[in-house]
Amino acid sequence: MRAGRISKAFTLAVAAVLALGACTAAPPAPEGSTAATASPGGNVTVLEPSPFTSFNPDSTTGQGATNARIDYATHSGFNYVDNNLKLVRNDKFGTYEKLSDKPLTVKYTINSGVQWSDGEPVTAADLFLEWAAGSGYYNDATLDANFKVARGNAYFNYAGDTTGLSQTSMPVIGDNGASLTLTYTKPFSDWETALGSTVSIPAHIVAARVGLKDANALVTLLQGIPKGDPAAPVKANPELRKIANFWNTGFDTKSMPDPSLALSNGPYLVKGITAGKDLVLTRNVDYNWGTVPTLDTVTVHYTARPEAQIAALKAGKADIASPALTQDSAAALADAKSGGVQTQVGASLGFDQAVLNFKGVLAKPDFRTAFLKTVPRQDIVDQAAKPVNPGATVLDSFVFRALQTPYKESSASNGTAAYAAADIDASKKLLAGATPTVRVLYNKDDPVRSTEFNLMAASARMAGFNVVDDGKGAGQWLPALKAGAFDVALYGWTSNPTGSVQVPQVFRTGAVSNLNNFSNTVVDQLAGQLAQEPDSAKQDALKMQIDKLVVGAGYGLPLFARSAAAANGPHVAGVMYSPVPVGIWWNVWDWKYVK
């Protein structure tokens, strides 16, 4: 199994991952197998809902699902997450080792022979540039409430979370440019995925485009620039600004660019792009630092509507798609089975939840518990989730997904069992005759959220709550959520497939994704420990404690994991689910053409 990578852009920053849909999920076995007739070479056609626009999916202008998937197929790195959400090292690309715990020190070494598709070696300079963009090291900006620069300078427009790399000092390059060593100022739980899971941007190309001699000259320039200090901002550095500006937007394109901007170090190369129509990948014949693919080409077409994707599969005009699941598309997929279309459906890392605001009418603990006692979670699953996935179940944890090993233990002990079914009588007793008015915020353009609201509101009204429908359109609900204009909000997160830093980002007092004014001193202490705990077993223990405290405080209730589908026609083998955000692309190197 060749190395896939972790996208550095999948964080819990609210603007990026408030879930309206979901990612793909863990696989049931495909119905039947065509592997015996698979043959080397050939082409398969994949349908994506949106066009390709950038070779840099880690920039704010380049982030996007299609960009991330093409990056995944054309680049490699030190590790990947498999279809069981396990972190696996790719020792064929290189190695990384923790040299010390105090201070946390990590050394990355790239193997000899790993190269860009123009023949230049992948080196520590490429890692250094990745660190410069992902650490925020040079920034001295102060941001306003809307995350815009109020004073100072922000250089690299990085779309991911800088929590980990911002805690590192200037990297040290060694072994004749083959290694890079990072030293952290304090422990960091997710150090294995902080750098190098994907090496996507060639430093030697950035150097050439900004007028520098080579990648070493780029590194030398960056090494000479001091760390930014928001408390004492200085005049913008013009050379750094030029480098950052090219990193930010220089790889954005809707058509086939100069080949130097489309370099690969992975199993496939981008051969051609027709703006808004298609993108063609061809096998990278030099690639041997991972599982070598067998397809000659992969053609990507863009089709937004799920019904059109399924029709193309059924007609044999496409081979692979991940159509968004609705009742209509689920029925269409079932109908397409007779035409040889195989479908895998399952739960994803995206999940729905009901969250209570700790300011306002629900600041009173008894009112919070009373409202939660009315939430008909099983009815919500039956009517909102099962129509697209008959196997859908109630989700019983805020911090673990059912695919993860600690889920069973945490869900059995975190207190969600007390809310297994709505208990109107218990709610009435807690209200003691009161009739609180609660505003429920949700995306009314999402039929699933509308179903959740209707079921929840009817149940809460039976207990005596005066429920106000505060649903807003797709363009209005998120600003209202961020402004705290709700008593109850229905929304979701898409979790990282590995790691722990997303938990503090949601539950710590004042954290960027703490949207409901939740504050608990013990949770804050545990979250601080979690962000610095490198041992995975100890991380799980801390997360289980947080899960229990959050439920016990009346934070809200998890509802269910969103479902997703992956479908393929009869002329491709090897298509498998993974819950990672790139979906079925996770094992693109295993796809094979079937005659």
Side-chain angles (χ1 to χ4, degrees):
M1 191 178 300
R2 198 201 67 82
R5 279 81 55 199
I6 298 164
S7 170
K8 298 174 286 299
F10 287 97
T11 70
L12 284 185
V14 60
V17 300
L18 281 171
L20 295 180
C23 306
T24 52
E31 299 174 5
S33 174
T34 53
T37 59
S39 58
N43 172 78
V44 300
T45 298
V46 186
L47 298 179
E48 287 295 325
S50 58
F52 177 84
T53 61
S54 181
F55 286 93
N56 185 1
D58 293 328
S59 69
T60 55
T61 59
Q63 63 178 332
T66 301
N67 297 340
R69 289 163 183 170
I70 299 306
D71 177 73
Y72 187 89
T74 57
H75 296 90
S76 54
F78 289 97
N79 53 35
Y80 67 99
V81 178
D82 68 12
N83 58 329
N84 294 310
L85 299 184
K86 301 297 184 183
L87 187 67
V88 181
R89 297 190 179 213
N90 177 21
D91 291 337
K92 292 183 179 180
F93 179 90
T95 59
Y96 61 97
E97 59 180 325
K98 183 165 60 173
L99 302 180
S100 169
D101 281 313
K102 295 182 180 179
L104 175 60
T105 307
V106 183
K107 182 179 181 180
Y108 302 83
T109 304
I110 301 167
N111 291 343
S112 176
V114 177
Q115 64 182 32
W116 296 101
S117 50
D118 63 354
E120 289 294 316
V122 177
T123 70
D126 302 308
L127 294 178
F128 194 102
L129 180 59
E130 181 182 334
W131 168 84
S135 66
Y137 182 88
Y138 301 104
N139 294 341
D140 59 11
T142 298
L143 305 182
D144 62 20
N146 296 315
F147 300 100
K148 293 184 177 180
V149 176
R151 67 168 188 161
N153 305 283
Y155 292 97
F156 293 94
N157 295 335
Y158 180 67
D161 177 43
T162 62
T163 299
L165 293 180
S166 67
Q167 300 171 16
T168 59
S169 54
M170 181 74 70
V172 176
I173 291 178
D175 298 301
N176 294 318
S179 71
L180 179 142
T181 301
L182 279 182
T183 301
Y184 288 76
T185 56
K186 58 183 178 180
F188 179 58
S189 60
D190 295 356
W191 63 272
E192 283 197 81
T193 57
L195 185 75
S197 291
T198 306
V199 183
S200 302
I201 302 299
H204 68 286
I205 297 301
V206 175
R209 291 299 178 120
V210 300
L212 295 173
K213 179 182 178 182
D214 53 23
N216 290 333
L218 176 70
V219 169
T220 299
L221 190 157
L222 292 173
Q223 287 174 328
I225 301 173
K227 181 178 176 64
D229 181 3
V234 298
K235 184 178 179 180
N237 183 302
E239 293 176 303
L240 176 58
R241 177 71 73 194
K242 192 173 183 180
I243 293 168
N245 284 349
F246 189 80
W247 187 93
N248 293 338
T249 61
F251 293 91
D252 295 352
T253 182
K254 295 180 180 179
S255 58
M256 191 65 195
D258 180 304
S260 67
L261 299 179
L263 296 186
S264 164
N265 60 29
Y268 288 98
L269 307 166
V270 175
K271 180 180 181 180
I273 304 172
T274 303
K277 182 180 178 182
D278 61 33
L279 179 147
V280 179
L281 299 173
T282 187
R283 185 161 48 91
N284 182 357
V285 296
D286 295 321
Y287 178 78
N288 63 7
W289 44 94
T291 302
V292 176
T294 63
L295 290 172
D296 289 329
T297 56
V298 177
T299 302
V300 182
H301 289 295
Y302 312 125
T303 304
R305 295 191 306 112
E307 296 82 1
Q309 293 181 9
I310 297 166
L313 289 171
K314 190 174 181 180
K317 295 179 180 179
D319 300 300
I320 301 172
S322 299
L325 271 185
T326 64
Q327 285 184 264
D328 289 342
S329 65
L333 284 168
D335 180 67
K337 182 178 178 181
S338 61
V341 176
Q342 300 180 10
T343 303
Q344 301 171 50
V345 176
S348 76
L349 294 175
F351 70 98
D352 280 29
Q353 59 184 350
V355 173
L356 309 188
N357 198 334
F358 278 63
K359 289 185 178 179
V361 66
L362 296 180
K364 187 175 181 180
D366 280 352
F367 283 7
R368 290 200 299 275
T369 303
F371 186 87
L372 296 177
K373 286 287 185 182
T374 72
V375 178
R377 293 199 296 157
Q378 187 60 57
D379 289 344
I380 289 172
V381 169
D382 290 343
Q383 296 189 41
K386 285 192 174 182
V388 297
N389 179 11
T393 60
V394 172
L395 180 66
D396 282 320
S397 173
F398 278 111
V399 301
F400 297 109
R401 306 288 71 80
L403 298 167
Q404 297 172 310
T405 302
Y407 172 80
K408 187 174 182 180
E409 181 179 354
S410 189
S411 62
S413 60
N414 63 11
T416 53
Y419 303 99
D423 190 338
I424 303 303
D425 289 338
S427 179
K428 287 180 176 179
K429 289 180 181 178
L430 288 164
L431 289 177
T435 58
T437 296
V438 293
R439 301 163 298 159
V440 181
L441 174 66
Y442 63 100
N443 177 9
K444 67 180 181 181
D445 291 333
D446 182 341
V448 173
R449 297 276 160 74
S450 294
T451 298
E452 294 170 8
F453 168 77
N454 290 330
L455 291 169
M456 194 177 299
S459 184
R461 285 165 180 154
M462 291 173 62
F465 283 96
N466 177 27
V467 179
V468 176
D469 182 346
D470 207 18
K472 301 185 186 301
Q476 292 78 46
W477 74 273
L478 180 55
L481 179 67
K482 294 169 70 175
F486 65 91
D487 298 305
V488 180
L490 303 175
Y491 63 97
W493 296 118
T494 298
S495 302
N496 279 352
T498 63
S500 298
V501 294
Q502 64 266 40
V503 175
Q505 288 173 354
V506 173
F507 298 115
R508 192 182 66 247
T509 301
V512 63
S513 298
N514 183 334
L515 305 175
N516 62 327
N517 301 294
F518 173 72
S519 181
N520 182 292
T521 55
V522 179
V523 170
D524 288 347
Q525 292 171 3
L526 294 172
Q529 295 176 41
L530 179 61
Q532 300 183 39
E533 177 53 65
D535 183 86
S536 59
K538 292 179 180 178
Q539 289 177 28
D540 288 341
L542 290 166
K543 284 192 278 191
M544 281 192 279
Q545 293 180 65
I546 291 172
D547 203 18
K548 184 174 183 178
L549 287 165
V550 168
V551 173
Y555 178 93
L557 283 171
L559 299 175
F560 60 88
R562 287 268 177 147
S563 298
N568 64 274
H571 295 294
V572 60
V575 176
M576 293 179 64
Y577 262 142
S578 173
V580 295
V582 293
I584 51 176
W585 284 84
W586 80 275
N587 71 331
V588 59
W589 43 87
D590 289 330
W591 296 350
K592 294 178 175 61
Y593 175 70
V594 176
K595 293 182 179 179

